[in-house]
Amino acid sequence: MAVATTPRPPPGIADLVVAEMALPAIGGDWKAALRARSASAHEVLLRHPWATGLTGTRINVGPAMLRYIDATVGCLRAAGFSLPQADRAWNALDGHRYGFTLQELNFPRNRPHTSLRHNSSCRASQPRSIRT
């Protein structure tokens, strides 16, 4: 019996998405630079929701991802972070951003037709305390 497999994305496709993300400036206000970097990446991933899982794995890192990592670590090092601190910091930032982006993409808060409050088939099964 053959096992169906999910087709693999073409090599380099995630790197094209990463190339759309703003690089942080090295030197200056590192917090503002990393905030802008995260906001840019979040917006790009919302435009390309299929890419969030691919860019988060860092498998087959391409030139755009290498530039992105280099600029991020450079920004943190210029701010006084040691190399191990910079590594932990950018991984924590990216982990938070990927999780936040996935939650925003998959949570039905702005979709009234799927919301528990507006879905009559689910409404009856809600506890009385939240059926307002």
Side-chain angles (χ1 to χ4, degrees):
M1 173 187 281
V3 176
T5 60
T6 304
R8 296 179 71 164
I13 193 85
D15 210 49
L16 293 174
V17 174
V18 173
E20 295 180 32
M21 298 175 186
L23 300 177
I26 297 175
D29 186 352
W30 65 273
K31 289 180 184 180
L34 292 177
R35 190 176 304 112
R37 167 200 181 268
S38 291
S40 169
H42 179 68
E43 290 168 9
V44 168
L45 292 173
L46 289 178
R47 284 195 309 270
H48 306 289
W50 55 269
T52 303
L54 293 176
T55 59
T57 61
R58 294 186 187 87
I59 296 173
N60 298 323
V61 175
M65 180 60 94
L66 289 174
R67 278 189 300 278
Y68 190 69
I69 294 168
D70 188 55
T72 302
V73 172
C75 177
L76 290 163
R77 294 283 289 143
F81 286 69
S82 68
L83 193 53
Q85 289 171 331
D87 181 57
R88 282 192 293 273
W90 82 268
N91 278 290
L93 288 167
D94 281 5
H96 177 77
R97 186 193 60 242
Y98 290 128
F100 179 74
T101 301
L102 285 170
Q103 183 177 12
E104 187 167 335
L105 288 169
N106 294 303
F107 192 76
R109 70 184 168 132
N110 291 325
R111 300 179 203 144
H113 63 280
T114 59
S115 159
L116 285 178
R117 184 176 294 282
H118 294 94
N119 188 331
S120 60
S121 65
C122 292
R123 187 173 167 85
S125 66
Q126 292 176 349
R128 187 174 294 278
S129 61
I130 62 170
R131 279 195 241 159
T132 57

